[in-house]
């Protein structure tokens, strides 16, 4: 007996004329009848390959009629493209598409929608946790993180909720699944000593203004990098925060902030305004923090993160995330008496409840201290004041000597790290015609990039020299002809 192909795989058969035909269902008409497409080939193997290519082409097409027995993968794609995608930001879309098209559909896509069970989903989540990672397994291991598994579950549950609402299925099998525990990322803050050392080292690195402005305002990284000079009113000290920078699939996107509360105006102190006015004299770009490699573009968020990690390491500070500079600002503000409502407005939270939830460890201490003050006033007691979390003793700042990075010699080009596995070398000399020319090389590590860059520089120097000689010879020939004439 011939092996039966699974639902959704299509059919392959040999026609009477000897050719092979592959056919797959791509949707349904108004009467609920299937609509198909086919491919033809001389051999069965070639036909199967063409059929797979056809399925990839039409796999994301929207079915004209949704039925209870349609493949779960078709429903997931239909739900995402028509109900979910239109309301998502570009970065969120990239996350959803990664979960749906790399994990959910390849694993569960062929199961009929009305046959999908809670057991199918539970096994799927277990497999994700065990060996679900597709890329960079040598760094992060074979299993997905708890957060990614929960994100896949969220997509499945929301899509199945819609299927219930559309009466395609009676109950949502995703309800009641056991999931990995929800763990928030640990929040860390820099001590006063670490902040000072970070800023001292940042002056040597050339990123002093960026780190200082972030610590002084608590802006998100994307908001900070999206700032332009037109957003700052130097007379009033106001800064408009109305956009953010994001990297989506390798492309830099400037978009609106996620929430209405993120569109805000904050006031900078006079000392910060004076610092920015001095900084503007050395910065001709419209961006406060322009890209060092691309014209008229802001710094890429991942590049800012890498430079911060490098600066922290050279300053002898503990390793923290860029977002922890925001936490550092908020913690300092609360400890120095700023009320929660004002802080919530400055950092762009939707409500004060969000601020209280994130910084409960600080506000708890503040409440205890307030209670003791009231007790001292009313009860006339000598109750001891609760102490804030003990910080490490602050050493003498004069003992810190910043690391001074080596400056490259003129004519040796520049080397930049684009991401964890890609380096770029760039050389921009003056050509034989007096105009600057630029070329790049790429490598997986710095050493390989330096080698490729050195070879390219030698080749470009020889090329420029030859062009100059040719130009000189050509000009001399023209002068001789003129003298003869």
């Amino acid at each position: 007996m011939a092996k039966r192909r699974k639902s959704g795989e299509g059919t392959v058969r040999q026609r009477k004329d000897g050719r092979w035909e592959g056919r797959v269902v791509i949707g349904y008409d108004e009467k609920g009848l299937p609509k198909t497409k086919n491919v033809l080939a001389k051999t069965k193997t070639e036909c199967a390959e063409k059929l797979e290519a056809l399925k990839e082409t039409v796999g994301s097409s929207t079915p004209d009629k949704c039925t209870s027995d349609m493949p779960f993968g078709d429903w997931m794609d239909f739900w995402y493209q028509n109900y979910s995608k239109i309301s998502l930001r570009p970065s969120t879309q990239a996350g959803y598409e990664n979960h749906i098209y790399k994990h959910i559909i390849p694993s569960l896509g062929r199961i009929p929608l009305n046959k999908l069970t809670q057991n199918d989903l539970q096994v799927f989540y277990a497999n994700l946790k065990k060996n679900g990672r597709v890329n960079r397994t040598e760094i992060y291991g074979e299993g997905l993180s708890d957060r990614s598994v929960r994100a896949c579950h969220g997509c499945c549950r929301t899509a199945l909720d819609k299927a219930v609402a559309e009466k395609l299925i009676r109950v949502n099998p995703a309800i009641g699944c056991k999931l990995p525990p929800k763990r928030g990322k640990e929040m860390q803050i820099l001590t006063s000593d670490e902040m000072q050392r970070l800023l001292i080292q940042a002056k040597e690195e050339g990123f002093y203004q960026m780190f200082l402005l972030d610590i002084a305002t608590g802006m998100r990284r994307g908001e900070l990098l999206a700032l332009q000079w037109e957003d700052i009113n130097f007379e009033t000290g106001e800064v408009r925060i109305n956009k953010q920078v994001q990297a989506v699939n390798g492309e830099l996107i400037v978009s609106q902030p996620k929430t209405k509360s993120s569109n805000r105006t904050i006031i900078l102190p006079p000392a910060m305004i004076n610092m920015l006015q001095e900084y503007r004299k050395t910065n001709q770009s419209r961006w406060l923090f322009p890209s060092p490699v691309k014209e008229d573009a802001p710094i890429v968020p991942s590049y800012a993160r890498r430079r911060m990690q490098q600066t922290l390491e050279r300053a002898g500070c503990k390793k923290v995330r860029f977002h922890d500079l925001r936490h550092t600002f908020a913690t300092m503000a609360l400890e120095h008496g700023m009320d929660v409502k004002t802080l919530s407005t400055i950092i762009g939270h939707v409500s004060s409840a969000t601020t209280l939830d994130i910084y409960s460890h600080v506000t708890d201490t503040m409440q205890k201290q307030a209670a003791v003050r009231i007790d001292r006033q009313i009860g006339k007691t000598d109750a001891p004041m609760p102490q804030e979390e003990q910080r490490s003793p602050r050493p003498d700042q004069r003992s810190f000597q910043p690391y001074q990075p080596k400056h490259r010699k003129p004519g040796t080009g520049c080397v930049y790290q684009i991401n964890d596995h890609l380096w770029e070398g760039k050389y921009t000399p003056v050509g034989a015609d007096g105009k600057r020319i630029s070329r790049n090389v790429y490598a997986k590590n710095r050493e390989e990039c330096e080698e490729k860059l050195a070879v390219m520089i030698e080749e470009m120097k020889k090329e420029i020299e030859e062009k100059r000689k040719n130009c000189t010879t050509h000009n001399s020939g023209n002068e001789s002809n003129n003298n003869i004439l």
Side-chain angles (χ1 to χ4, degrees), residues 111-152:
I111 301 175
L113 179 61
N114 58 1
K115 300 294 183 181
L116 185 69
T117 65
Q118 187 178 97
N119 184 62
D120 293 328
L121 293 169
Q122 199 67 64
V123 172
F124 168 58
Y125 300 149
N127 289 334
L128 288 180
K129 184 62 181 173
K130 185 178 180 180
N131 54 12
R133 187 172 297 279
V134 178
N135 300 318
R136 304 175 73 179
T137 56
E138 67 282 358
I139 299 176
Y140 300 107
E142 296 184 352
L144 285 180
S145 64
D146 294 345
R147 184 177 180 181
S148 296
V149 175
R150 294 181 68 91
C152 288

Side-chain angles (χ1 to χ4, degrees), residues 12 39 41 43-56:
V12 176
V39 293
T43 65
K44 184 177 181 180
T45 302
E46 183 184 1
C47 183
E49 292 175 354
K50 286 187 175 181
L51 183 63
E52 289 298 321
L54 175 64
K55 287 192 295 181
E56 290 180 2

